[in-house]
């Protein structure tokens, strides 16, 4: 009978994890370029099937199945990289990518160390030295990996290929470095809307087009996330009631039946 308590407990832990993911999505509903996250879970029979087929302990040896827990196991989190809605801002520093690809920026941490990050957030600006930067002050890079410097006294235009031009004759100044990856499973989130590759990642030609005066917003549907939160809350309460029922049954078994 106590296995039922564990099953309900693991269900509550799983629903709490799902709720954490949903609330984080809702908190970033207005974050430009944010990609929503999701959570998976594994049932006991799935885990058991993988363990039975596990040959890591060698052939002809006794295999340990481990603890026989029938509850749910929290699986892996995943990121939905689908494109979010694009809104017009009429701000020449706002750039949106249409298609697959990421802007390349030079991130600087608190210790002053720099590293390359990738983002879909194109809400850029110009610093006091004329460099194109993010709102956090990170430098936007060109195709050669250098910082992009503009003339503050001249207007600029960005075409769909990411070429930046200034002056009346539209003189090319730089080209935005747009990168893409063969498999997004080799990307991990860094902060709110930065991504960084992990070991095994490979670049490929980006197909994204640059749109000046637009911003890609979060790909989160607030209505969908709220609906999912209601379902998670109900599932959590159901498991909670199961535990309360078991608690009442154990109380009767100890205080009443045990006296006979």
């Amino acid at each position: 009978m106590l296995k039922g308590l564990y099953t309900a407990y693991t269900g509550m832990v799983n629903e709490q994890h799902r709720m954490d993911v949903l609330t984080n999505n809702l908190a970033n509903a207005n974050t430009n370029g944010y990609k929503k996250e999701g959570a998976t879970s594994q049932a006991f029979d799935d885990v058991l099937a993988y363990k039975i087929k596990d040959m890591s302990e060698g052939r002809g040896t006794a295999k340990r199945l481990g603890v026989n827990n029938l509850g749910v196991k929290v699986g892996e989190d995943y990121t939905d990289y689908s494109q979010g809605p694009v809104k017009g801002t009429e701000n020449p520093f706002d750039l949106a990518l249409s298609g697959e690809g990421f802007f390349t920026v030079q991130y600087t941490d608190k210790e002053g160390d720099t590293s390359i990050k990738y983002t879909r957030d194109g809400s850029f600006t110009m610093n006091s030295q004329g460099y194109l930067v993010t709102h956090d002050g990170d430098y936007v890079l060109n195709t050669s990996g250098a910082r992009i410097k503009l003339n503050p006294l001249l207007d600029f235009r960005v075409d769909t290929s990411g070429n930046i031009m200034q002056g009346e004759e539209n003189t090319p100044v730089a080209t935005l470095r747009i990168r893409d990856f063969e498999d997004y499973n080799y990307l991990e989130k860094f902060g709110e809307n930065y991504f960084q590759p992990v070991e095994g990642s490979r670049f490929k030609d980006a197909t994204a087009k640059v749109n000046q005066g637009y911003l890609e917003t979060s790909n989160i549907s607030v209505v969908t996330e709220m609906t999912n939160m209601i379902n998670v809350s109900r599932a959590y309460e159901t498991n909670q009631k199961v535990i309360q029922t078991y608690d009442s049954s154990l109380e009767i078994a100890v205080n009443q039946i045990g006296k006979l």
Side-chain angles (χ1 to χ4, degrees):
M1 181 169 63
L2 294 179
K3 290 181 179 179
L5 281 174
Y6 181 85
T7 301
Y9 160 74
T10 56
M12 293 176 67
V13 171
N14 181 65
E15 298 305 330
Q16 180 62 56
H17 177 68
R18 292 178 60 196
M19 181 64 74
D20 292 340
V21 173
L22 291 172
T23 53
N24 181 64
N25 286 340
L26 286 175
N28 289 280
N30 294 323
T31 302
N32 294 322
Y34 180 81
K35 301 304 177 185
K36 70 176 181 179
E37 296 181 335
T40 61
S41 59
Q42 292 178 295
F44 170 77
D45 56 346
D46 294 331
V47 178
L48 178 61
Y50 283 121
K51 186 61 181 176
I52 291 176
K53 297 177 181 178
D54 182 17
M55 301 300 295
S56 61
E57 298 179 9
R59 295 181 179 272
T61 59
K63 296 183 179 181
R64 299 178 179 86
L65 284 178
V67 181
N68 187 18
N69 294 327
L70 301 180
V72 63
K73 180 182 182 299
V74 176
E76 298 179 351
D77 294 345
Y78 64 91
T79 302
D80 181 2
Y81 289 95
S82 61
Q83 183 167 335
V86 176
K87 66 177 181 180
T89 63
E90 298 183 359
N91 183 349
F93 289 99
D94 289 340
L95 305 175
L97 292 177
S98 177
E100 297 181 347
F102 299 86
F103 295 109
T104 306
V105 300
Q106 185 183 61
Y107 170 77
T108 305
D109 60 19
K110 295 180 180 179
E111 286 72 30
D113 298 326
T114 60
S115 58
I116 303 300
K117 306 298 180 187
Y118 301 92
T119 183
R120 296 279 298 191
D121 182 6
S123 55
F124 303 138
T125 185
M126 182 189 298
N127 64 11
S128 58
Q129 297 175 329
Y131 287 102
L132 187 65
V133 297
T134 67
H135 279 283
D136 294 326
D138 297 323
Y139 294 95
V140 183
L141 302 182
N142 61 17
T143 51
S144 61
R147 300 171 180 177
I148 298 175
K149 189 171 185 179
L150 304 175
N151 187 342
L153 301 178
L154 298 177
D155 294 332
F156 71 97
R157 186 176 68 86
V158 183
D159 64 16
T160 57
S161 297
N163 299 310
I164 303 176
M165 294 158 285
Q166 284 193 295
E168 296 180 357
E169 299 180 356
N170 288 326
T171 304
V173 176
T175 302
L176 292 166
R177 175 182 252 182
I178 311 298
R179 306 302 298 268
D180 197 14
F181 299 86
E182 291 184 357
D183 190 347
Y184 289 168
N185 289 321
Y186 290 93
L187 283 180
E188 63 179 7
K189 279 194 171 184
F190 183 88
E192 293 180 349
N193 53 8
Y194 279 173
F195 296 92
Q196 60 184 9
V198 298
E199 185 178 357
S201 64
R202 294 182 179 180
F203 292 108
K204 72 173 185 178
D205 294 335
T207 60
K209 302 298 182 183
V210 181
N211 301 286
Q212 187 177 19
Y214 295 87
L215 277 179
E216 179 185 357
T217 59
S218 168
N219 65 348
I220 294 171
S221 170
V222 176
V223 175
T224 300
E225 298 301 296
M226 291 295 295
T227 302
N228 291 335
M229 287 184 66
I230 295 174
N231 293 333
V232 168
S233 298
R234 290 176 177 174
Y236 186 91
E237 292 173 356
T238 300
N239 285 288
Q240 190 176 36
K241 291 179 180 178
V242 171
I243 291 180
Q244 293 173 349
T245 302
Y246 269 99
D247 182 63
S248 300
S249 300
L250 290 173
E251 183 179 4
I252 294 174
V254 173
N255 296 331
Q256 299 183 20
I257 300 178
K259 294 179 180 180
L260 300 179

